[in-house]
């Protein structure tokens, strides 16, 4: 997710949290990384942490997935990240995440949400594109022309604006990813 400083703040907090926590983060289009402009970063993180305290997360589907989540969380903590929330049981908001952390390099497929501070829209786009995966990206801003321009430059199969995943079904529309997220989009 890319969160720009002119976003509809409360809706964006709720949308990102929903995107990271629905089905305990076990959703192929879940928010796995969140890039937030510096101007609203602290306030946004505070909003996520507060909203996350109101959620209870169900257990993940398999013991193997539980181990992956625990491994990604411990790796992030070992590399200096701060955890806000506790796994299992809640969404864990991660701040101060080192770029080499597994939670940023691999798919976690669980309720961990690394939130990364970026200097502006272009830095956010570069960071979002700097991955081997590319199924979905969401862009949160009130500036729709800028969002559409950024969407054209996203290296993702699906890009949403001011929304996450696909909350309104369009079964006739193509669905695919780039990189290790699958084939079908070039």
């Amino acid at each position: 997710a890319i969160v720009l400083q002119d976003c509809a703040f409360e809706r964006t907090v709720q949308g990102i949290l929903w995107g990271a926590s629905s089905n305990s983060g076990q959703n192929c289009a879940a928010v796995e990384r969140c890039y937030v402009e510096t101007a609203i970063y602290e306030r946004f993180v505070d909003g996520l942490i507060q909203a996350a305290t109101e959620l209870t997360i169900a257990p993940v589907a398999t013991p193997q997935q539980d181990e992956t989540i625990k491994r990604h969380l411990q790796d992030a903590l070992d590399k200096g990240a701060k955890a806000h929330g506790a796994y299992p049981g809640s969404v864990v908001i991660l701040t101060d995440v080192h770029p080499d952390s597994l939670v940023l390099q691999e798919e976690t497929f669980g309720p961990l949400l690394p939130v990364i501070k970026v200097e502006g829209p272009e830095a956010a786009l570069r960071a979002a594109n700097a991955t081997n995966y590319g199924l979905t990206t969401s862009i949160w801003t009130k500036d729709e022309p800028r969002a559409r321009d950024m969407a054209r430059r996203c290296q993702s199969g699906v890009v949403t604006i001011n929304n996450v995943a696909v909350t309104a079904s369009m079964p006739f529309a193509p669905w695919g990813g780039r990189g290790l997220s699958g084939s079908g989009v070039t």
Side-chain angles (χ1 to χ4, degrees):
I2 295 172
V3 178
L4 303 183
Q5 64 183 326
D6 68 342
C7 67
F9 189 84
E10 290 302 325
R11 183 176 191 283
T12 304
V13 166
Q14 293 299 319
I16 297 297
L17 189 58
W18 182 86
S21 65
S22 65
N23 200 34
S24 297
Q26 299 169 105
N27 171 345
C28 66
V31 175
E32 294 245 351
R33 298 174 290 135
C34 184
Y35 299 98
V36 180
E37 278 196 277
T38 301
I40 64 166
Y41 178 81
E42 296 298 332
R43 181 175 166 231
F44 193 79
V45 167
D46 289 345
L48 285 172
I49 292 167
Q50 178 60 41
T53 63
E54 300 170 13
L55 296 178
T56 301
I57 301 299
V60 294
T62 66
Q64 295 84 359
Q65 194 57 42
D66 181 59
E67 287 304 315
T68 297
I69 295 163
K70 288 176 180 174
R71 183 171 49 87
H72 284 196
L73 176 57
Q74 190 60 55
D75 175 75
L77 294 173
D78 290 347
K79 292 177 179 167
K82 293 182 184 123
H84 309 273
Y87 178 81
S90 67
V91 180
V92 178
I93 310 299
L94 293 167
T95 57
D96 300 327
V97 181
H98 190 278
D100 293 336
S101 297
L102 295 175
V103 73
L104 294 179
Q105 300 300 320
E106 299 178 4
E107 289 182 318
T108 301
F109 213 62
L112 303 182
L113 179 58
V115 184
I116 313 302
K117 185 187 309 184
V118 292
E119 290 302 320
E122 292 305 313
L125 185 59
R126 279 191 307 276
N129 284 340
T131 179
N132 291 321
Y133 300 94
L135 185 58
T136 64
T137 299
S138 61
I139 302 169
W140 300 79
T141 178
K142 292 178 184 171
D143 186 340
E144 190 172 327
R146 176 171 58 182
R148 289 185 182 281
D149 173 65
M150 291 177 73
R152 284 188 283 280
R153 296 183 289 136
C154 282
Q155 295 174 10
S156 294
V158 175
V159 180
T160 58
I161 297 171
N162 298 322
N163 215 333
V164 64
V166 178
T167 54
S169 179
M170 294 174 52
F172 51 85
W175 176 263
R178 292 184 170 184
L180 297 177
S181 291
S183 59
V185 177
T186 57

